[in-house]
Amino acid sequence: MTQLTTYIGTSNHGFAQYAQDELRKLFPLTKFTLLVPTEVFYFQVPEDTTDVITTMQENEPIFLRHVQPVHQEWELSHTDADIAHLTAWLREAYAAGLFGYGEKIATQIRKEERADVPYAPFAIKAAIDEILTAECGGEPVVRYADHIISVYISAKKVYIGISKPSENLSDWSGGAIRFMKEEDQISRAKFKLLEAEQRFGIDFSIARKAVDIGAAPGGWTSLLLERGLKVTAIDPAAMNPRLLGNPLLTFLKKNANDVKLRENEFDLLVCDMSWDPRQMGHLVSDLLFSLQSGGTAIVTVKLMHKKPFQTVRDILRIFEDSLFLLKAKQLFHNREELTLYLQKI
Ligand SMILES: C[S@@+](CC[C@H](N)C(=O)[O-])C[C@H]1O[C@@H](n2cnc3c(N)ncnc32)[C@H](O)[C@@H]1O
């Protein structure tokens, strides 16, 4: 008999239909039920769980931010009996070897706004942590867990599953990665590059010299400077004055069409210009002579006309002689855009 693998998938608000399109391509017989319109959905794939995980990891969908497995689900009782169901299941899962003695376990609880239940998410977490520590020798953690227990409370049901962090595509609850806002942070845009660094596993410190196209007010530039890179920032708009005295920074206060760069000058190119994607693609393409072979590029692509797959294809065609795609992902900090991670041929 074919196994049925069940998940809850999450995308950025407004992009669930694209995540579903991508999943349907990987698993044509998938059945979907929306939980939160345009954002969170339940899906079932008539395939073995290991195959589903491997396929999703090897062909990671652009718009699927996070998945959590559903191993058990119940109709909501709207009483504390829901918590009793969850803790009884946890004991069975431990007995069945779904996780082992002494593990680091993160418990992630998500509750829909319209879920009318008398208990708070932390009451569920407290009940689960109590069993983990008292009966399983476990250590409740937030990050770097051996396993994640995922609980989701919808308007009608409660769902639970357990998985390794890498199997969820993101080890943050719902893929909603959070960074501390620094007191003197130059722009929120910095979070996009911080997230790309984590999500794509980039070690910026191995690069030496970066060019930042559309750099003002300087959030991305400030991160690259913090990582020890020399940065050439290009923008007709003003950079934050705090950056201007930095000896590692060269600021060209110009339109990127008008700058003169040297061949193979950089080993990293970043561009966060928030422009028409095709125009941005041609502008970046014209400057790629300055990026060394093997150097990498991080580019945000604005999704202006809600045809994201066509937009990505168009951009990759513009870049095809010079860059190949390492990863395309709509990050949590991307709004109506996505992020490409590319390498110079
Ligand atoms: C979204 S902001 C960049 C934010 C920046 N990444 C940060 O972290 O602070 C886009 C920038 O692109 C710049 N820009 C637009 N067209 C440009 C062009 N042709 N050449 C250079 N910069 C341009 C704008 O002036 C604007 O400052």
Side-chain angles (χ1 to χ4, degrees):
M1 217 176 76
T2 322
Q3 198 190 327
L4 207 56
T5 298
T6 308
Y7 276 108
I8 290 169
T10 304
S11 72
N12 282 5
H13 185 73
F15 289 88
Q17 77 179 89
Y18 303 114
Q20 291 179 358
D21 288 345
E22 292 181 286
L23 283 166
R24 221 176 267 117
K25 245 187 172 167
L26 296 177
F27 315 109
L29 299 176
T30 308
K31 288 203 161 60
F32 298 98
T33 310
L34 264 183
L35 295 175
V36 177
T38 80
E39 201 170 338
V40 185
F41 52 90
Y42 172 96
F43 66 100
Q44 289 188 309
V45 187
E47 286 186 31
D48 181 76
T49 303
T50 319
D51 295 342
V52 175
I53 291 168
T54 311
T55 306
M56 276 197 299
Q57 286 173 333
E58 288 176 358
N59 313 271
E60 190 178 328
I62 298 173
F63 294 99
L64 186 62
R65 200 171 77 201
H66 177 266
V67 287
Q68 61 188 78
V70 175
H71 289 128
Q72 190 68 257
E73 56 188 80
W74 303 269
E75 295 292 328
L76 276 183
S77 70
H78 302 279
T79 69
D80 285 350
D82 298 334
I83 301 181
H85 281 140
L86 292 169
T87 50
W89 180 85
L90 185 66
R91 288 192 172 99
E92 282 170 26
Y94 179 55
L98 263 62
F99 62 101
Y101 185 84
E103 288 193 8
K104 291 191 170 81
I105 307 271
T107 302
Q108 298 182 347
I109 314 221
R110 300 163 72 196
K111 179 175 110 34
E112 288 179 14
E113 269 175 31
R114 59 204 175 124
D116 176 23
V117 291
Y119 43 82
F122 72 79
I124 299 177
K125 180 167 162 47
I128 288 178
D129 284 352
E130 167 70 23
I131 293 176
L132 290 174
T133 46
E135 300 175 29
C136 316
E139 181 190 341
V141 293
V142 176
R143 310 273 335 273
Y144 310 113
D146 298 310
H147 277 101
I148 296 176
I149 295 170
S150 304
V151 175
Y152 188 95
I153 303 163
S154 75
K156 292 190 179 143
K157 286 188 168 188
V158 55
Y159 308 84
I160 191 165
I162 183 158
S163 49
K164 296 208 174 86
S166 62
E167 295 168 354
N168 290 13
L169 304 182
S170 162
D171 65 350
W172 290 77
S173 183
I177 182 167
R178 307 284 177 184
F179 299 105
M180 289 278 282
K181 188 163 175 353
E182 300 153 16
E183 223 167 78
D184 54 354
Q185 188 163 314
I186 289 168
S187 70
R188 285 193 60 81
K190 184 176 183 180
F191 290 145
K192 284 192 271 185
L193 194 59
L194 274 166
E195 187 179 352
E197 181 184 37
Q198 276 210 13
R199 187 99 200 198
F200 303 145
I202 303 170
D203 180 1
F204 283 127
S205 67
I206 61 170
R208 287 180 310 106
K209 205 167 171 203
V211 57
D212 184 355
I213 305 167
W220 286 31
T221 288
S222 70
L223 178 63
L224 297 175
L225 292 169
E226 281 162 30
R227 296 289 183 264
L229 277 78
K230 286 188 176 159
V231 182
T232 298
I234 304 170
D235 203 305
M239 292 289 273
N240 185 297
R242 261 193 307 111
L243 295 176
L244 295 178
N246 191 315
L248 294 176
L249 176 67
T250 305
F251 175 39
L252 306 177
K253 195 172 186 317
K254 285 184 173 174
N255 188 308
N257 288 310
D258 301 329
V259 293
K260 290 200 170 39
L261 303 174
R262 287 202 310 276
E263 204 166 327
N264 299 330
E265 196 178 342
F266 305 106
D267 47 9
L268 176 68
L269 178 150
V270 299
C271 175
D272 177 36
M273 242 172 42
S274 206
W275 244 27
D276 173 274
R278 284 160 204 85
Q279 277 179 285
M280 179 279 294
H282 288 295
L283 185 141
V284 168
S285 198
D286 287 345
L287 296 176
L288 281 174
F289 69 90
S290 68
L291 184 64
Q292 294 165 12
S293 171
T296 49
I298 298 164
V299 175
T300 46
V301 178
K302 205 161 179 188
L303 300 172
M304 298 172 70
H305 311 297
K306 281 276 179 197
K307 284 193 177 155
F309 300 118
Q310 187 58 44
T311 304
V312 172
R313 275 195 295 273
D314 290 349
I315 295 284
L316 294 181
R317 199 162 301 128
I318 294 169
F319 290 157
E320 71 188 349
D321 290 337
S322 314
L323 294 172
F324 67 90
L325 182 68
L326 297 172
K327 199 109 185 211
K329 194 81 202 171
Q330 186 171 54
L331 304 173
F332 175 64
H333 290 94
N334 284 141
R335 295 286 171 242
E336 300 292 308
E337 60 187 16
L338 56 81
T339 300
L340 300 181
Y341 180 37
L342 307 125
Q343 189 161 29
K344 180 90 183 283
I345 292 167

